[in-house]
Amino acid sequence: MGGGGVSVPVRITRDLFGLDGKVAIVTGGSRGIGKAAAKGLAVFGADVAILGRSPKTEETVSEIQALGRRAIFIPTDVGDVDQARSGVERVVREFGTVDILVNNAGIASVAPAEEVTPEEWDSIMAVNLRGMFFMAQAVAKVLISQRKPGRIINIGSIYGIVGSEIGASIYHATKGGIVNLTRALACEWARYGILVNCIGPGFIVTDMTQGVREDPGLKRAIENRHALKRFGTPEEIVGAVVFLASDASTFVTGENLFVDGGYTAW
Ligand code: NAP
């Protein structure tokens, strides 16, 4: 005993998952998992800034504002470190602080490993791994300078720990990197009260999986790799996001939480 860590008093009430007064950043909230996560955080009380590319993100912002929360869209390509940094600075200017980062923005491409080009490698790495790291760094710098605790939630994948034959080798590499980057950041930033965790979704019904779902044979094969024999929905990721953002997870850090219908349970 006596390791010097500071425990956080947690009250067991129905507010355990409450996020009132918190400011969250979600990257890539125009659609899919990011949109569901942004709305979920707002339902539980957070104000939300979405750093993303598409003007369609304004729809998510309107839906959050209709819930009575503050929301802004800050046009940002997270693959560009300067844009990521200035996006976070703007959140602090508008909302005064940040408490939660959901590092969701991600891209994938399908090509046989023997045909992958250096350009494809760089473009996917730039968003999924480098963009994620520099977003986390920018938010951590704010938290450290404001001397406040915070949460960083990285959206990984089942493909962070298992391989596949579908021709997504670079994607697998980025997601594997995210799993252990999460552990490293959790260890480094624990001293500042910053908890860093990862969520590993199974196959989710979003634009990213449209190609797979349009191929009946592949779709069935992939469904069968989930113990629950189906794809999940973006809404099914929200509970894990809220859990990892809230007082319900004050003793959870460096974790990789699968929300995968049992894909990795086999
Ligand atoms: P999606 O429907 O394709 O949405 C991707 C989102 O990321 C969009 O909002 C997109 O914005 C944004 N984005 C992409 N590149 C960006 C960039 N450079 N800067 C800012 N925003 C960017 O994908 P999804 O399925 O919701 O995936 C979200 C995350 O979950 C990704 O990290 C993905 O790897 C992960 N994941 C997905 C699945 C799945 O089965 N769907 C499974 C495991 C993990 P635009 O609209 O502007 O393009």
Side-chain angles (χ1 to χ4, degrees), residues 88-236:
V88 173
E89 281 165 15
R90 185 157 158 225
V91 175
V92 175
R93 274 202 308 281
E94 301 261 345
F95 290 156
T97 193
V98 54
D99 302 280
I100 300 154
L101 167 65
V102 181
N103 251 327
N104 164 77
I107 53 174
S109 73
V110 177
E114 63 276 19
E115 288 171 21
V116 162
T117 64
E119 291 73 25
E120 277 177 287
W121 174 274
D122 288 345
S123 71
I124 296 180
M125 283 285 165
V127 178
N128 292 14
L129 200 48
R130 197 175 61 132
M132 175 169 285
F133 176 82
F134 285 102
M135 278 299 303
Q137 184 196 62
V139 168
K141 281 185 170 182
V142 174
L143 294 168
I144 293 166
S145 72
Q146 295 190 349
R147 295 175 186 280
K148 61 185 290 191
R151 304 297 177 90
I152 295 174
I153 302 162
N154 297 324
I155 305 299
S157 168
I158 50 173
Y159 285 168
I161 68 148
V162 299
S164 80
E165 75 286 39
I166 67 171
S169 52
I170 319 170
Y171 183 82
H172 284 70
T174 63
K175 296 297 178 178
I178 288 165
V179 170
N180 220 33
L181 174 62
T182 297
R183 295 189 185 110
L185 297 181
C187 294
E188 275 201 45
W189 291 340
R191 74 193 72 157
Y192 302 114
I194 303 170
L195 308 188
V196 188
N197 289 290
C198 179
I199 295 173
F203 274 75
I204 307 297
V205 178
T206 68
D207 293 346
M208 188 175 277
T209 57
Q210 190 177 350
V212 167
R213 287 181 288 112
E214 282 172 356
D215 177 336
L218 187 55
K219 176 171 179 280
R220 203 168 316 110
I222 287 174
E223 283 171 342
N224 282 331
R225 288 181 192 172
H226 297 73
L228 297 181
K229 306 291 181 206
R230 65 174 176 87
F231 283 45
T233 65
E235 292 73 22
E236 289 181 303

